[in-house]
Amino acid sequence: RRMGTSILRVCLVLLSFAACWQINLAHDAPGFSNLKEGAALNEKQENSLPDISDSRNMKAMKCTACQASVLEMSFGILRKENDEQRKLREVEVVEILEKVCSSKMDEYGLVLDPNTGNPTMQWSANEKTPRAKGGWVTRLAMGTCSDVYNEYEDYLVEQAPASCKINKEGTHKNCDSRELIRHVCVKGFKWCSEADIPVQPGDAGAVAGEDEAAEEGEEAEEEEDPATA
């Protein structure tokens, strides 16, 4: 755990010196033909970034980043169990949780409005979704995940695997992470309210604001990946 946390801290320190903003999107993203993958945000886009001095903005973004972190951890365990076709040992669960913040959350960015091209407060890790990354945006996503892991590691190690159950047909597992989100993001950090919790288990991935189900087909549908919305 110490090594994983140290690596994450190093990543966050390096990001603190990287004030460069960039656009991440697929080359064929509709409505964004004038934007290029990895291009710098223009002055108008930078000025349109959410005001992080506004506590309401920070709370809203931390709420969805917290939910995305919990979901990535839950589904990371599910994917590994599906690959291994067995229940994971505790040390394997810990390893998955440690990696999420550095290997998953750095892909999250703020979705660009399709009409204006300006950043919104909606998160996405979908490579087909135009999003702003870098600077405080990436630090916020990874830092929120780090807070979740550091404060709730024991709880998540015990409860996250239990949130995934075999469906009635006995064909595959589905994860319902709503109680994890309630415990960590609502009752724990108080970044979210009860109204922010997805109504249906399958809606949980909507917090990330992305949609990969179409490209992943039945496999994504079965696992209800956090990348779906």
Side-chain angles (χ1 to χ4, degrees):
R1 175 182 174 183
R2 291 181 179 176
M3 181 176 292
T5 304
S6 298
I7 292 173
L8 178 58
R9 286 175 178 169
V10 170
C11 290
L12 291 173
V13 169
L14 292 175
L15 282 167
S16 69
F17 292 101
C20 56
W21 299 95
Q22 67 179 36
I23 297 168
N24 285 76
L25 73 163
H27 295 294
D28 58 349
F32 290 88
S33 57
N34 60 321
L35 301 179
K36 294 182 179 180
E37 174 78 17
L41 294 182
N42 59 38
E43 183 177 357
K44 181 175 179 293
Q45 289 171 319
E46 283 199 39
N47 292 334
S48 298
L49 285 163
D51 181 6
I52 56 177
S53 66
D54 187 328
S55 60
R56 292 170 298 181
N57 289 347
M58 283 295 287
K59 185 176 181 180
M61 287 186 288
K62 282 195 170 187
C63 171
T64 46
C66 179
Q67 293 190 55
S69 299
V70 171
L71 290 166
E72 289 288 0
M73 292 175 184
S74 297
F75 288 108
I77 294 168
L78 174 62
R79 284 190 290 266
K80 184 68 172 179
E81 286 188 340
N82 284 350
D83 290 342
E84 299 291 333
Q85 292 296 301
R86 62 175 174 80
K87 183 177 177 63
L88 299 183
R89 299 187 300 274
E90 182 175 328
V91 65
E92 293 175 300
V93 174
V94 171
E95 183 179 356
I96 290 170
L97 299 186
E98 285 181 341
K99 289 182 177 179
V100 166
C101 298
S102 58
S103 65
K104 289 290 185 180
M105 297 308 294
D106 65 334
E107 290 300 316
Y108 279 80
L110 297 179
V111 177
L112 301 185
D113 186 287
N115 296 314
T116 66
N118 294 332
T120 65
M121 289 196 293
Q122 184 68 50
W123 294 98
S124 176
N126 189 341
E127 60 183 21
K128 288 185 176 291
T129 299
R131 61 201 190 282
K133 292 174 58 182
W136 65 258
V137 172
T138 300
R139 294 199 302 274
L140 179 60
M142 295 177 67
T144 300
C145 181
S146 178
D147 290 339
V148 168
Y149 173 71
N150 288 330
E151 292 295 324
Y152 290 96
E153 178 191 3
D154 292 340
Y155 171 79
L156 290 167
V157 167
E158 179 181 351
Q159 297 298 326
S163 70
C164 300
K165 302 182 184 301
I166 299 291
N167 68 341
K168 292 180 180 179
E169 293 76 21
T171 57
H172 59 267
K173 281 188 175 182
N174 288 323
C175 289
D176 183 354
S177 301
R178 290 175 297 176
E179 189 53 43
L180 301 181
I181 291 171
R182 177 178 287 108
H183 184 86
V184 175
C185 307
V186 179
K187 295 181 178 180
F189 288 111
K190 296 181 173 27
W191 291 326
C192 304
S193 67
E194 285 287 335
D196 295 315
I197 299 176
V199 176
Q200 299 293 332
D203 295 335
V207 299
E210 50 186 315
D211 185 1
E212 290 180 356
E215 63 184 89
E216 293 188 5
E218 295 181 359
E219 182 178 350
E221 196 171 299
E222 289 181 356
E223 295 185 6
E224 296 185 21
D225 198 288
T228 62

